[in-house]
Amino acid sequence: MVYIYSKNLKKSYLMGLIPPIFVAGFVITIAMGWPSLQDLILDRLAEMDNPIYKAIIGDMGLEGLGLNFQAALFMYAGGTMNLIGLFVSIFVPVKLLSSEADEKSLDIVLSYPIPRWRYLLEKFGVYLTYNLLFPFFMASSMIGTAVILGETYDVVLIINYAFGYWLLLFGLGSIALFCATIFLDSNRSLAAAGAVIIASYLLDSMGGLLGLIDLQFLSLFHYFKIDGILEAGMLPLGEVVTVIAVGFGFLVSALYLFDKREISY
Amino acid sequence: MSTDSILQVSNLTKIYGRELVLGGRKLLGDQVIGAQDVSFSVVKGEIFGFLGPNGAGKTTTMRSILDYLKIKSGKVTIFGLDHRKDRIEIRKNIGYMPGDMALFKNFTGEELIDYFSKFRPMNKEFFTELKKNFRVNLRKKIKTLSTGNRRQVGLIAALASKPDFLILDEPTAGLDPLMTANFHRIIKKLSREEKITIFLSSHDLAEVQQICDRVGIIKEGKMILVENVEDLKTKFLQKCIVQFEDTSSLPTIDEFKAISSVISVDKINEHSFSLKIQEDVKDLLKLLTKYPVKRLRLEDATLEEIFLQFYA
């Protein structure tokens, strides 16, 4: 029934597992260093209020958390996930299609009675499935280390943030996939997806400095900030609807385009 | 359209690229004709050979037939179904091997064929027969196989479901002579015994001559000829070697050239001439009766010579 999904899930387990394990490993490393490096980490956390830092690594909305272990984990793990997510959401969805276009294996696959849209959707499903490991590994390593160290933590915040991160990867991945269906080949697809997603990231991270605050809502990176989740007690519904709508819109457009377009190299 | 026509191509035109024309002047872009007004049909159970040199439009035509490329105009039906509208239905019964074939490198041959068989179930008995004939190790990863062995995997994948219609783009390119011979035997058997229709392109004229029932020759995107292979050889070109009794009474080269069916004349030695004749030999025989002919040998040209006649 979903052979393309299950086969690709099995075949790409290594690439799917390494980034989330890296994030979990990072959280555990911070936790291990926490007792001896607590002051240093908290100093760094305090520095993060600086608008220049926010512009470079993105504003995660940590202000509402205070200076504690949980905030430190969010700063390091969340910051790392933001950067990993930036690359994962550009490279993986584009490569789902463009690597096959580059190798010209699409011809033989599409000669079988599979609707093109379904083929692409099942492959995108693999991307979404492995991306579920990011929030899972992040949340479990954060909660686990907090429990071991006897530090306070907010389960609702962690789970909501993690799920929001997954939704963000869905939205960004759909944009990248749409770029891949337009261009097919890796070079142009990566350039287009990279330009759109990195511009979106910069719009959010540097928008404040550049006086583009009114335009920041156009960037998906602007949503699901920690202070917003804390305020609403959950993922803000409007932001969830926006990100899902953008992701869904681009995904449907990508599937439609791939189904109708010419497969030329 | 013939009632047992499996593939019907009518006036297929494919143009690559786009042009921006304003007031009759081209402002931007460039267009290249991939195929122009290509028409032919392939009937049930026949092996149709598609001939042409590189860039003639063979792959463009095949990929247009399979709806990978959007055609500018024309109509293509396979099993009587529209190639675009009924794309999925048609693919349930088609085996395709692209010329520029690439397979998933991290799959083994077995995994790949098993994966594809989920979409078009394989004929297990025939698959076993194919494995015996193509001696490629299907347990090896595709990336470790040579080009020839990869093509064998591709052929097995295309044939494994024993589809009613096979579209093969230069199927034997890269295969060794033994595997090529095996492939020819399988293809002939499928066509003769199972009435499976095969549409293949090739550079190898000897191959086409050996296995095909009909042949289409494409030149610069235009189908210049569709003919039965046997008829083609007799109808289009024959070679004639004529030897005369003595040198005192010989026809001149101009006398030969005056005959409309004679394409070329070469004097081999003092007594003999070699001629290339198209279609009718009656006028030539009439001329020869006036001279003392010692020996006359008439033979069909090879497909290669016919092909060169079009491409020279």
Side-chain angles (χ1 to χ4, degrees):
Chain A
M1 191 68 183
V2 282
Y3 306 116
I4 302 155
Y5 172 79
S6 52
K7 194 72 186 176
N8 281 281
L9 196 69
K10 198 175 147 194
K11 279 283 168 191
S12 48
Y13 74 95
L14 207 57
M15 286 304 292
L17 281 173
I18 289 172
I21 288 175
F22 177 77
V23 171
F26 200 65
V27 169
I28 293 165
T29 308
I30 299 298
M32 283 165 67
W34 174 254
S36 54
L37 300 171
Q38 190 171 347
D39 292 340
L40 191 69
I41 293 171
L42 290 177
D43 284 349
R44 180 58 50 85
L45 188 59
E47 284 171 11
M48 285 304 295
D49 214 17
N50 185 320
I52 304 290
Y53 279 125
K54 283 182 181 173
I56 296 168
I57 66 164
D59 180 9
M60 294 174 62
L62 293 168
E63 292 82 2
L65 284 178
L67 297 176
N68 53 37
F69 176 71
Q70 183 174 249
L73 287 189
F74 269 118
M75 176 182 72
Y76 283 111
T80 309
M81 273 175 47
N82 269 353
L83 289 175
I84 290 177
L86 192 65
F87 288 100
V88 165
S89 62
I90 293 169
F91 279 91
V92 180
V94 164
K95 283 288 179 185
L96 289 177
L97 191 58
S98 65
S99 62
E100 288 205 40
D102 294 343
E103 289 174 10
K104 298 181 180 177
S105 57
L106 271 178
D107 264 24
I108 201 154
V109 175
L110 298 179
S111 73
Y112 287 85
I114 326 152
R116 289 183 193 174
W117 65 264
R118 190 184 128 189
Y119 181 70
L120 194 59
L121 183 61
E122 287 195 30
K123 290 196 85 174
F124 192 66
V126 175
Y127 161 80
L128 291 180
T129 304
Y130 278 119
N131 281 349
L132 271 176
L133 295 177
F134 274 110
F136 175 76
F137 275 59
M138 182 205 175
S140 51
S141 59
M142 282 176 82
I143 294 169
T145 52
V147 168
I148 290 166
L149 294 173
E151 297 286 344
T152 54
Y153 61 95
D154 183 342
V155 179
V156 175
L157 172 68
I158 292 172
I159 290 174
N160 274 284
Y161 180 82
F163 182 62
Y165 179 78
W166 182 77
L167 285 178
L168 189 65
L169 287 181
F170 162 66
L172 296 170
S174 298
I175 293 171
L177 189 72
F178 181 67
C179 293
T181 54
I182 292 174
F183 297 106
L184 279 188
D185 70 284
S186 285
N187 291 342
R188 289 187 301 165
S189 301
L190 283 172
V196 173
I197 292 174
I198 291 171
S200 175
Y201 180 78
L202 293 176
L203 181 63
D204 175 57
S205 62
M206 302 185 107
L209 273 185
L210 300 172
L212 301 170
I213 295 165
D214 293 341
L215 293 177
Q216 281 183 315
F217 72 92
L218 291 174
S219 165
L220 288 184
F221 291 97
H222 189 59
Y223 301 108
F224 307 142
K225 303 273 168 132
I226 287 168
D227 49 4
I229 300 170
L230 279 173
E231 196 179 318
M234 56 185 281
L235 285 175
L237 199 61
E239 295 186 7
V240 172
V241 170
T242 304
V243 174
I244 290 178
V246 169
F248 194 70
F250 275 101
L251 178 61
V252 170
S253 305
L255 298 177
Y256 180 80
L257 184 62
F258 185 58
D259 199 62
K260 301 293 174 200
R261 68 157 295 157
E262 177 172 278
I263 309 291
S264 57
Y265 309 113
Chain B
M1 187 176 79
S2 165
T3 49
D4 59 356
S5 169
I6 295 293
L7 170 66
Q8 183 76 40
V9 179
S10 311
N11 305 108
L12 182 152
T13 298
K14 166 67 195 168
I15 293 173
Y16 290 106
R18 288 198 179 95
E19 275 181 357
L20 179 63
V21 179
L22 203 66
R25 277 189 65 190
K26 186 175 85 174
L27 297 179
L28 213 66
D30 212 359
Q31 290 193 331
V32 177
I33 294 171
Q36 192 173 14
D37 273 328
V38 172
S39 297
F40 65 99
S41 65
V42 182
V43 296
K44 188 172 173 59
E46 82 167 331
I47 305 179
F48 188 96
F50 199 31
L51 280 174
N54 290 333
K58 297 189 300 293
T59 301
T60 295
T61 305
M62 284 184 151
R63 297 190 80 238
S64 299
I65 287 168
L66 282 162
D67 191 36
Y68 292 126
L69 300 177
K70 278 187 180 173
I71 57 176
K72 184 171 182 271
S73 59
K75 189 172 163 58
V76 178
T77 58
I78 304 173
F79 308 125
L81 302 168
D82 183 82
H83 76 140
R84 172 157 283 254
K85 215 169 64 186
D86 304 303
R87 192 163 64 192
I88 302 299
E89 193 57 34
I90 286 169
R91 277 161 166 69
K92 287 179 183 167
N93 243 321
I94 277 190
Y96 172 58
M97 194 181 93
D100 201 356
M101 194 193 64
L103 303 165
F104 304 126
K105 288 177 183 163
N106 286 321
F107 281 50
T108 65
E110 269 177 358
E111 279 177 331
L112 188 88
I113 290 161
D114 179 60
Y115 179 57
F116 287 153
S117 72
K118 303 281 193 262
F119 310 115
R120 200 167 51 224
M122 71 162 82
N123 180 316
K124 285 184 181 163
E125 203 180 311
F126 187 54
F127 176 57
T128 310
E129 192 186 325
L130 287 171
K131 276 201 288 187
K132 277 183 201 160
N133 282 290
F134 292 102
R135 288 174 195 157
V136 58
N137 186 347
L138 293 176
R139 290 190 181 153
K140 278 189 168 180
K141 285 205 170 183
I142 302 287
K143 64 183 171 192
T144 65
L145 296 175
S146 66
T147 310
N149 281 338
R150 283 182 199 187
R151 290 195 74 79
Q152 287 190 59
V153 176
L155 275 172
I156 295 173
L159 296 169
S161 63
K162 220 184 214 184
D164 287 343
F165 185 31
L166 281 165
I167 299 179
L168 309 169
D169 194 357
E170 297 183 17
T172 53
L175 294 189
D176 63 42
L178 180 67
M179 288 306 122
T180 303
N182 280 344
F183 169 73
H184 289 168
R185 194 171 43 73
I186 293 166
I187 287 293
K188 275 187 192 171
K189 193 178 161 195
L190 286 174
S191 163
R192 308 292 177 256
E193 294 175 15
E194 312 272 350
K195 291 283 168 213
I196 287 174
T197 312
I198 295 143
F199 175 45
L200 62 89
S201 73
S202 182
H203 285 303
D204 188 347
L205 299 159
E207 172 177 67
V208 172
Q209 189 167 351
Q210 192 187 338
I211 64 169
C212 294
D213 303 306
R214 284 198 305 146
V215 64
I217 297 179
I218 190 165
K219 183 182 182 182
E220 291 162 7
K222 291 179 187 164
M223 194 69 130
I224 51 173
L225 174 100
V226 178
E227 195 62 71
N228 185 300
V229 172
E230 287 309 310
D231 290 349
L232 186 70
K233 285 191 281 183
T234 52
K235 189 174 168 184
F236 277 86
L237 197 75
Q238 293 173 82
K239 285 191 292 187
C240 173
I241 296 185
V242 55
Q243 188 184 352
F244 295 94
E245 288 283 357
D246 61 74
T247 53
S248 59
S249 176
L250 288 177
T252 63
I253 286 182
D254 286 340
E255 274 181 280
F256 281 121
K257 282 187 174 172
I259 300 166
S260 61
S261 60
V262 172
I263 293 168
S264 66
V265 185
D266 288 313
K267 196 165 183 181
I268 302 171
N269 54 42
E270 286 183 338
H271 301 269
S272 310
F273 291 87
S274 168
L275 309 155
K276 280 186 182 163
I277 315 152
Q278 200 168 17
E279 297 188 26
D280 207 340
V281 293
K282 269 188 292 182
D283 292 340
L284 174 68
L285 292 176
K286 212 180 277 180
L287 173 74
L288 294 179
T289 53
K290 296 177 193 169
Y291 299 93
V293 174
K294 188 179 176 186
R295 291 181 70 187
L296 177 70
R297 199 171 84 219
L298 204 58
E299 61 183 48
D300 289 340
T302 62
L303 192 57
E304 187 164 356
E305 286 165 320
I306 296 166
F307 185 76
L308 289 173
Q309 185 188 347
F310 287 106
Y311 274 93

